[in-house]
Amino acid sequence: MLRRYGETALQEEIRALMIDWAEDLEASERIFIRASTHGKKSFWGYEGAVLDKGDERIRTFPFPTRRPTLQELLRCWHELTRVRVSHLSEGALKELDDAYIASLQPKTQTKAKPQALPEKKAEPTTPKLTEEEEARVDRVKRLEEMVKKGRINALRSFWEKHSTEFLSLSPPGAPVLEADAQSALTQSSLLALASSAGQNEVLTYLLSDLHFNPTIPSPSDPTKRPYDLSATKATRDIYRRVAYDNPELWDWKLARVPEGLSEEQEAEQKEKKAGRRKGLKDKLKEREKTRQETAAKEEKEEEERRLKKEKEEREKPTRMGAKGPQKLGSAGTGSEGLAGLSPEMRQQIERERRARAAEARFGRG
């Protein structure tokens, strides 16, 4: 009973959460779900469901997953949103090819002897950076760290001091770009970094104060804009608020930002969300109250039945016997107790019984 109650409560909580995420789910290109057949009923197949079972965006995770914890969810998100690049030499690639071909051949067939690997070519040495170049590399790292960790105060002063360098000069070791191209790359990189890290205060500073361009594709994924990399709904709402306050500043459709979000609309959304959560909490409280009342009622009825049974046992009629009060219907000392004895033994017992009865009468007289 408790298990069914817990499953029902979890299902309702998931469905309420899906309602809160309705806008985010509608804007998603892919939706990854890992659940059992029974567990998928929490996502679709009921009245008012946010998702439809036939939605083409729904996918399963293309790799094994563990228990559904927040840490596991972050791991899966990293696996889905990042590309792994392996740097292999020609010799290593040839070894992999030979091993794959050998695995396809019958086991009885003798394996070909591995050919001698070609000599590795000497890799070109990286030119040593000057002190000034090393300082510039260090400044780029510090800038990225400030954005990623949300150090807004340090970022403001640091940007005011070195903004020209970041917007016009390519970092040492990177391809040399024109000033405009480098500026666009820097803006997109910092917006993407702040969005993916969920640093909302930094993102507001970049969009509202510095007027960074959100329409430039992300350097890590040219098919996405910085808005697409937002970690949370609150981060996406920052883009929408800036779009509402500055509708003519950028082509917000090109930046893939939905319609602007005013303070009134945001307050209304929060109020609706709070109302849904309160309704869900009240419903859970009411269910818990009903369960407790039912349990208390059953316990009371059980106690009443027990007391009634004890009372009936106490009030059951009794009779006086030779050995004190006995309940009616109990085994006595009649002839049924002499079954199995010889006739001589029964006669002797009867004589003794009559003698005791006579003594009892004389004693009363």
Side-chain angles (χ1 to χ4, degrees):
M1 178 178 177
L2 291 177
R3 180 179 178 182
R4 288 197 299 271
Y5 168 77
E7 291 177 351
T8 303
L10 177 61
Q11 189 178 71
E12 291 184 358
E13 186 176 353
I14 292 175
R15 291 178 178 179
L17 189 61
M18 295 291 288
I19 294 175
D20 291 343
W21 290 355
E23 295 181 4
D24 301 331
L25 293 173
E26 185 178 356
S28 300
E29 296 179 1
R30 292 287 184 271
I31 301 174
F32 292 88
I33 295 177
R34 171 65 57 82
S36 63
T37 303
H38 177 72
K40 290 179 180 178
K41 295 180 181 179
S42 301
F43 300 97
W44 56 69
Y46 59 92
E47 184 178 357
V50 177
L51 294 177
D52 184 68
K53 184 178 180 180
D55 196 326
E56 296 180 352
R57 300 174 300 167
I58 296 177
R59 299 286 190 276
T60 184
F61 286 90
F63 48 82
T65 57
R66 294 184 283 271
R67 292 181 66 253
T69 61
L70 179 59
Q71 189 66 26
E72 176 64 8
L73 183 62
L74 290 174
R75 185 188 72 83
C76 294
W77 182 76
H78 285 298
E79 290 287 343
L80 292 171
T81 57
R82 283 165 172 73
V83 178
R84 291 186 179 181
V85 180
S86 299
H87 299 279
L88 301 175
S89 63
E90 293 182 1
L93 291 174
K94 184 172 180 56
E95 285 184 353
L96 293 176
D97 291 341
D98 292 341
Y100 177 71
I101 293 173
S103 66
L104 299 178
Q105 296 175 352
K107 294 183 179 180
T108 56
Q109 186 175 353
T110 57
K111 297 182 179 179
K113 295 182 179 180
Q115 299 179 358
L117 298 177
E119 296 182 359
K120 295 183 179 180
K121 297 181 180 180
E123 297 181 357
T125 57
T126 304
K128 188 176 181 180
L129 301 178
T130 63
E131 292 185 2
E132 176 60 26
E133 290 175 336
E134 290 180 353
R136 287 176 55 195
V137 171
D138 181 66
R139 284 194 289 271
V140 172
K141 292 181 179 179
R142 289 172 59 191
L143 175 65
E144 293 176 349
E145 184 180 6
M146 291 176 189
V147 173
K148 189 174 182 180
K149 295 186 177 181
R151 298 174 180 172
I152 184 63
N153 295 328
L155 176 63
R156 290 177 185 274
S157 58
F158 191 74
W159 181 261
E160 290 175 0
K161 186 176 180 180
H162 302 287
S163 59
T164 304
E165 174 187 330
F166 295 132
L167 294 175
S168 59
L169 299 178
S170 301
V176 179
L177 302 176
E178 297 292 336
D180 292 342
Q182 180 60 39
S183 175
L185 178 62
T186 300
Q187 293 182 44
S188 178
S189 299
L190 296 182
L191 284 175
L193 184 60
S195 299
S196 60
Q199 297 298 343
N200 299 340
E201 193 173 0
V202 172
L203 182 62
T204 303
Y205 170 67
L206 298 178
L207 289 172
S208 299
D209 296 357
L210 302 183
H211 293 166
F212 273 18
N213 188 353
T215 64
I216 304 172
S218 170
S220 60
D221 188 353
T223 63
K224 295 183 178 180
R225 302 295 187 269
Y227 174 84
D228 299 328
L229 303 177
S230 299
T232 62
K233 184 178 184 297
T235 303
R236 289 188 289 273
D237 286 346
I238 291 176
Y239 282 94
R240 297 182 63 188
R241 284 198 295 270
V242 176
Y244 181 84
D245 296 335
N246 305 276
E248 304 298 331
L249 184 60
W250 306 108
D251 184 355
W252 296 104
K253 289 186 178 180
L254 181 60
R256 299 181 182 176
V257 178
E259 61 180 354
L261 181 66
S262 64
E263 294 182 359
E264 293 78 9
Q265 291 173 333
E266 186 175 9
E268 184 179 355
Q269 286 183 1
K270 290 182 179 179
E271 185 177 354
K272 288 182 179 179
K273 184 182 293 186
R276 286 194 295 267
R277 289 180 178 175
K278 184 177 183 301
L280 179 60
K281 289 182 179 179
D282 292 343
K283 192 173 182 180
L284 293 176
K285 287 181 180 179
E286 184 65 24
R287 183 182 289 109
E288 179 65 18
K289 181 180 178 181
T290 303
R291 186 189 67 80
Q292 292 178 356
E293 290 177 352
T294 303
K297 183 178 179 181
E298 292 177 353
E299 185 178 355
K300 183 179 179 181
E301 292 176 352
E302 180 66 23
E303 181 67 14
E304 290 177 353
R305 286 194 295 269
R306 185 183 65 80
L307 294 175
K308 183 178 179 181
K309 185 176 180 181
E310 291 180 355
K311 183 178 180 181
E312 291 176 352
E313 290 291 332
R314 288 195 301 269
E315 294 178 352
K316 191 172 182 180
T318 59
R319 65 178 176 84
M320 295 298 295
K323 296 182 179 181
Q326 297 179 354
K327 293 183 179 180
L328 293 178
S330 60
T333 57
S335 59
E336 64 274 8
L338 305 178
L341 299 179
S342 63
E344 293 79 7
M345 292 293 295
R346 286 200 293 271
Q347 291 176 1
Q348 183 178 355
I349 291 173
E350 286 294 336
R351 287 195 296 270
E352 292 177 355
R353 185 182 297 169
R354 286 194 293 270
R356 286 196 298 271
E359 291 176 357
R361 287 196 299 272
F362 291 142
R364 288 196 297 271

